[in-house]
Amino acid sequence: MTAQVLIAIASVVALFALATGIRRIAGRFVIGAESQRKAVHVGVGLHAMLLPLLLNREGFLVFAALAAAALLVLRMPGVATDGIGASLHSVQRRSWGDFLFLVAVTLLFVLSAGHPALYTLPIAVLTLSDAAAALVGTKYGQLRFGGDDRIKSVEGSVTFLVVTWIVAVVILQFGTGIPRANVIWLATLVALFATYVEADSWRGLDNLFVPVGIFVLLRTWSESAPVMLAVITLVWLSLLVAAHVYAPRVGMTPHAARIALVALILSTIAASPINSVLPVMAFFAAMMARSAVEDTEPVLDFVATLVLTGVIWLLTGNVFGDNAAAYYSATFAAVGSGYVAFALRGTRFRIPGGAAAAAVFLCVFWFLLPHIINFIGWEPEIPLLLVAGIVTIVTLLSEVLRPKSLGNRNPGLRLAITALVMLLPVYVYEVLS
């Protein structure tokens, strides 16, 4: 274990050295902020692909903790703008891509044990395809699309698609026993999915969405017949087109509809349909929180909440060895109720409306509970309905009683954190008792 700790420390020091070296080279040769960031991104990605050769599970968790602390240091005032952190943070846009990349790598390392391709392929795509797309898009990109902090180019996205397809074919062909016909269709599905998600993501969330999404696709459909993979690819494209075309009819922008569709489909695949009922209900509650059809922030806030909550419970369940999907569902009973209270802010219906929403969410949870217990394969000692009820009520009260002076920022992440702070200790107690 001592050797593993030393290797973990050396790995973090190497990443600091990489950021320092790129910053000094940039100062000498006048390299732009975006090029510096991409250089660090490639270096970190290549280093991440080597970690399974250097670290076991315990050593990697030490590395992840140290890396998270290092990323916080690089965000400190002064360090982020003028110090070695400038190679990551001198680009003037809000992004949590560095932390989300670490989250993705940690999740893949823990979940892909014994299956190297499930770890290597998602990280290789995020490292190589993203860098190639950035180079082509920056130098040759003429056809621009997107807005805010997700301005992309058609040229860059096509490059991302082609490089991803090539990387997927090479790794799947030489790193797995998947038949060649399956490899072609699986690589096509991965390339289309990753290109779309990378183009539509915002604030660095592609660093989480792309690798985790690829992992889910590979784990679910890597052994499917070529015909099934072809059907899945066509259905996927059809759903994206439908979401884009019909979004205005359901009061959403095309961007919000597409990204919500992707997140909900992936969560359903990863958690099973029975554990996706409450997240879907919470999504419609988030829709209520919009100030106008053009207001995409509540929807995007929900997507971030859905994915990050799912990642936390997936990782927790894997680390402790007992499926945590029931607690994932309980989290969204609380989040959905809080969203309704947030949507009714400033009205006299906030308290009764929030209470009614809590009752509905808990009734659905109670109805689904036998199926959820059957899915996870174990039954907690503390009744799950009681736990979900207490957590939902406390989370709802935290939103109803929240002072107006704190502002009206979208509530998804704070609601999820409130619920997780209560549910995680209960889960840990159950699995350790």
Side-chain angles (χ1 to χ4, degrees), residues 81-131:
T81 54
D82 301 316
I84 60 174
S87 57
L88 276 174
H89 301 300
S90 54
V91 178
Q92 297 300 312
R93 65 169 180 263
R94 290 188 298 169
S95 174
W96 288 94
D98 49 350
F99 276 104
L100 295 176
F101 183 81
L102 177 60
V103 171
V105 170
T106 302
L107 189 67
L108 294 173
F109 190 98
V110 171
L111 297 180
S112 64
H115 302 279
L118 290 180
Y119 177 85
T120 306
L121 177 51
I123 296 177
V125 168
L126 195 61
T127 302
L128 304 177
S129 302
D130 191 57

Side-chain angles (χ1 to χ4, degrees), residues 7-16 18 39-55 60 63 67 101 105 109 119 123 127:
I7 294 173
I9 294 172
S11 293
V12 175
V13 171
L15 295 179
F16 264 109
L18 172 68
V40 173
H41 181 84
V42 171
V44 171
L46 294 174
H47 180 77
M49 284 190 277
L50 297 175
L51 290 177
L53 302 177
L54 303 173
L55 297 169
F60 180 85
F63 163 80
F101 183 81
V105 170
F109 190 98
Y119 177 85
I123 296 177
T127 302

